C-alpha cells in the first residue's frame, strides 16, 4: 500500500478524532484494534478512534487468553471508571 493510499483511508479517522476531541475536550487516538506488533494491519477494518486514556491503558494487548483473570478484571474496571 502506498503512502497516498494509507493517507486517503486514514483521513476519515483523523476527522473523527478531531470531531470527538472538539465535542468532548478529551484527547483521542487512532488505535489499531489488533496491534501492529501482533501482526495487525494498517487497514480501515483494524482502526478505531478511542479516548487516549483507554488506548494507553490497553497497551499492545490483543488476545485475551494472554491475560490473567486479574488483568482482565482490572482493565474492565478501568474502562468502566473512565469518563470523558
Amino acid at each position: 500500500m502506498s503512502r497516498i493510499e494509507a493517507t486517503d483511508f486514514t483521513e476519515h479517522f483523523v476527522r473523527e478524532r478531531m470531531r470527538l476531541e472538539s465535542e468532548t475536550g478529551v484527547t483521542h487516538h487512532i488505535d489499531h484494534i489488533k496491534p501492529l506488533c501482533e501482526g495487525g494491519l494498517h487497514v480501515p477494518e483494524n482502526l478505531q478512534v478511542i479516548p487516549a486514556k483507554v488506548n494507553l491503558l490497553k497497551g499492545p494487548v490483543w488476545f485475551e487468553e494472554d491475560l490473567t483473570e486479574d488483568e482482565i478484571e482490572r482493565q474492565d474496571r478501568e474502562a468502566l471508571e473512565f469518563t470523558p
Side-chain angles (χ1 to χ4, degrees):
M1 170 183 310
S2 73
R3 177 171 277 183
I4 291 173
E5 290 170 322
T7 303
D8 285 347
F9 79 73
T10 306
E11 183 178 348
H12 160 77
F13 294 96
V14 172
R15 289 184 188 278
E16 179 66 4
R17 179 187 60 78
M18 292 171 64
R19 181 188 70 78
L20 289 168
E21 287 181 359
S22 175
E23 288 179 5
T24 66
V26 173
T27 302
H28 282 67
H29 287 171
I30 300 170
D31 171 57
H32 289 90
I33 298 166
K34 181 175 183 180
L36 298 175
C37 66
E38 294 288 338
L41 301 176
H42 188 67
V43 295
E45 299 79 22
N46 192 39
L47 297 177
Q48 63 182 347
V49 178
I50 60 175
K53 181 176 179 182
V54 173
N55 189 36
L56 295 172
L57 289 171
K58 175 182 148 189
V61 174
W62 168 244
F63 298 106
E64 281 196 1
E65 58 267 17
D66 291 342
L67 299 175
T68 67
E69 275 300 311
D70 289 340
E71 290 171 320
I72 293 170
E73 287 178 18
R74 179 188 56 78
Q75 286 187 355
D76 288 345
R77 271 193 318 278
E78 289 171 348
L80 289 172
E81 292 169 0
F82 175 77
T83 31

